[in-house]
Amino acid sequence: MAFNVQEIRKDFPILQREVNGKPLVYLDNAATSQKPQVVIDSIVDYYSNYNANIHRGVHSLSQEATDAYEGARKKIQQHFNIKQTHEVILTAGTTHGINLVANGFTEFLKKGDEIIVSALEHHSNIVPWQMLCERTGAELKVIPIDEKGVLILSEYEKLLSENTKLVFVNHISNALGTINPIAEIIKMAHKVGAAVLVDGAQSCSHIKPDLQALDVDFYVTSAHKMCGPTGVGMLYGKEEWLNKLPPYQGGGEMIAEVTFKKTTYAGLPHKFEAGTPNISGGIAFGAAIDYLNSIGFDEIEAHEHKLLQYATEQLTAIEDLKIYGTGVDKTSVISFNIEGIHPYDIGTIVDKLGIAVRTGHHCAQPIMEFYKIPGTVRASFAFYNTKEEVDALVAAVKKAKTMLT
Ligand SMILES: *Cc1c(COP(=O)(O)O)cnc(C)c1O
């Protein structure tokens, strides 16, 4: 089926609404994506028709719910080309997945060990590692970026040594849109025997990563940035790593046998899934993956690339407007400022015109520090955005500029 953005927009009820008397132009997709009706329906269907706890009952409802939940895990496995279903851990989201791994590494690290992160990281991929360093005495090193917002790989190479135990990098920067060369980063880390965790929160709505081909050790993402609900996500880990890591939380579901003397843990993936999970969320995550694949990632990438090019041209033409993040490999995120105007003021005026953009540091303060700015205005596009919406943004930014200077 040919890509037809007007038809696709009909799948999203929220895109029909108005904000401040104007049609909603939603350009904050890097914060969270909107949800198509099929995803919303899958949640309603679970609660209306087969709500029951999973993995517990022999009764029919519980089995239906378990089948749907485990079916979603299977969809996630296939989508990311993961070798084995039990290497898919269902989490509460990216932040949860990162903390699970960071916590698990506590007993493997000691003083003198080093952890490398990139200067492009989201706070959720900085703070857990700082906490891990505090617990273990390991040291945090940072891969710097150049003016374009691109990681400097020659500097990364210098940081790597036999002391490097872990490398953490995002696949795509949420603040600038830079696509990082993760295949190369992973290869270089493996040469010194370090494990790599990739934060895929920002990438999975734009591209379809092949995790076996990447040979990555851990990969985390959140469903809500890829048309799914909040509060659910994936942690992929290679089996040998997941077997080595201790459980993160204790509770029901994660045990094999419990006595007051000793408890033995369940096998994968249940070892990391204590307690009743977000059942409807997991099922809806599967529905979101089906939906995105029904549109097709080649089509999504092509459409978003066109929007990015067009928006970059149009915005660059505005005098005194500066775009941050100008690398060649970039996804549909544009972070910008107009000289002499605070990003927050632009965001406020643009909102009055029905346009949702993000302003601030985007949970990536080190990047803002690098550019010596308080924050940026960030417009982030999804496959359901249109050229007309780019025009509306550009007109609104021009209007804001006139009003504020
Ligand atoms: C959104 C985001 C996160 C955090 O995801 P949560 O769903 O809030 O846990 C982490 N890293 C990047 C790059 C993100 O874009």
Side-chain angles (χ1 to χ4, degrees):
M1 233 179 56
F3 184 89
N4 180 334
V5 71
Q6 291 308 335
E7 283 303 310
I8 286 168
R9 290 178 70 79
K10 292 181 191 157
D11 297 337
F12 293 80
I14 207 168
L15 297 180
Q16 324 305 324
R17 72 161 278 185
E18 293 191 341
V19 169
N20 295 324
K22 308 270 195 250
L24 166 66
V25 175
Y26 186 75
L27 303 179
D28 193 18
N29 293 287
T32 197
S33 64
Q34 294 303 344
K35 323 301 172 199
Q37 191 65 51
V38 282
V39 168
I40 300 167
D41 286 347
S42 73
I43 296 168
V44 175
D45 182 39
Y46 164 73
Y47 284 117
S48 310
N49 296 311
Y50 60 100
N51 171 54
N53 211 331
I54 55 168
H55 303 141
R56 289 174 197 206
V58 289
H59 64 81
S60 301
L61 274 194
S62 172
Q63 282 179 4
E64 273 181 46
T66 303
D67 287 350
Y69 191 71
E70 290 305 318
R73 193 191 306 274
K74 195 92 202 157
K75 285 176 191 177
I76 294 165
Q77 178 204 350
Q78 287 165 352
H79 178 78
F80 290 101
N81 192 26
I82 290 167
K83 201 160 157 195
Q84 308 179 83
T85 322
H86 61 257
E87 292 173 315
V88 176
I89 310 299
L90 286 157
T91 63
T94 301
T95 304
H96 177 201
I98 293 171
N99 278 284
L100 190 161
V101 176
N103 188 70
F105 266 87
T106 307
E107 57 191 66
F108 303 143
L109 296 183
K110 56 180 190 320
K111 206 166 159 43
D113 288 341
E114 292 171 1
I115 300 176
I116 297 178
V117 299
S118 94
L120 285 178
E121 297 313 304
H122 189 281
H123 294 166
S124 73
N125 209 12
I126 301 174
V127 184
W129 310 123
Q130 287 174 328
M131 290 162 68
L132 175 61
C133 286
E134 269 170 32
R135 286 195 299 274
T136 60
E139 198 184 333
L140 201 66
K141 306 261 175 175
V142 182
I143 313 171
I145 50 173
D146 64 17
E147 262 307 302
K148 291 185 163 166
V150 175
L151 294 177
I152 307 172
L153 285 193
S154 55
E155 293 297 322
Y156 168 53
E157 188 153 31
K158 285 184 211 157
L159 294 177
L160 287 165
S161 75
E162 64 270 27
N163 295 331
T164 314
K165 293 297 178 270
L166 289 160
V167 175
F168 300 100
V169 61
N170 60 31
H171 196 162
I172 294 181
S173 154
N174 68 302
L176 304 180
T178 311
I179 304 176
N180 292 317
I182 57 164
E184 222 174 323
I185 289 172
I186 293 164
K187 262 196 212 117
M188 288 163 75
H190 285 171
K191 269 195 199 140
V192 299
V196 182
L197 182 146
V198 172
D199 170 356
Q202 207 51 242
S203 49
C204 298
S205 57
H206 305 291
I207 52 186
K208 185 171 172 167
D210 180 335
L211 298 189
Q212 279 188 79
L214 282 170
D215 194 30
V216 67
D217 302 286
F218 301 98
Y219 196 95
V220 289
T221 198
S222 297
H224 72 92
K225 292 194 179 160
M226 44 192 302
C227 294
T230 54
V232 64
M234 170 197 76
L235 159 66
Y236 159 76
K238 280 185 185 165
E239 184 182 41
E240 59 262 40
W241 273 119
L242 293 178
N243 279 334
K244 259 191 258 178
L245 289 188
Y248 184 40
Q249 292 179 315
E253 241 10 282
M254 54 75 75
I255 45 84
E257 200 177 15
V258 178
T259 68
F260 281 109
K261 273 219 187 80
K262 182 164 173 60
T263 290
T264 48
Y265 304 127
L268 297 173
H270 306 295
K271 175 178 151 188
F272 294 108
E273 296 183 354
T276 300
N278 180 352
I279 301 171
S280 68
I283 293 167
F285 189 2
I289 285 179
D290 283 345
Y291 176 77
L292 289 172
N293 282 311
S294 77
I295 293 174
F297 276 84
D298 289 344
E299 281 76 10
I300 288 173
E301 268 188 88
H303 180 74
E304 289 178 348
H305 190 68
K306 266 191 246 163
L307 287 180
L308 174 67
Q309 271 187 323
Y310 180 65
T312 304
E313 278 164 30
Q314 297 296 311
L315 286 170
T316 309
I318 299 175
E319 212 180 323
D320 297 330
L321 187 147
K322 179 170 171 169
I323 292 177
Y324 301 91
T326 49
V328 183
D329 286 326
K330 228 193 119 164
T331 188
S332 47
V333 171
I334 301 184
S335 243
F336 65 91
N337 273 331
I338 296 176
E339 214 185 304
I341 304 179
H342 198 280
Y344 182 80
D345 295 334
I346 299 176
T348 307
I349 292 179
V350 161
D351 175 63
K352 293 247 163 23
L353 299 165
I355 300 169
V357 293
R358 182 78 151 216
T359 58
H361 55 61
H362 319 299
C363 297
Q365 277 177 345
I367 302 178
M368 304 303 136
E369 224 170 82
F370 174 80
Y371 287 114
K372 305 210 170 14
I373 49 177
T376 68
V377 183
R378 182 187 69 187
S380 51
F381 305 94
F383 57 92
Y384 44 72
N385 289 125
T386 64
K387 191 165 172 278
E388 290 70 30
E389 290 181 311
V390 174
D391 291 335
L393 169 72
V394 172
V397 171
K398 283 182 181 160
K399 186 164 176 183
K401 188 184 174 211
T402 313
M403 285 170 71
L404 294 165
T405 46

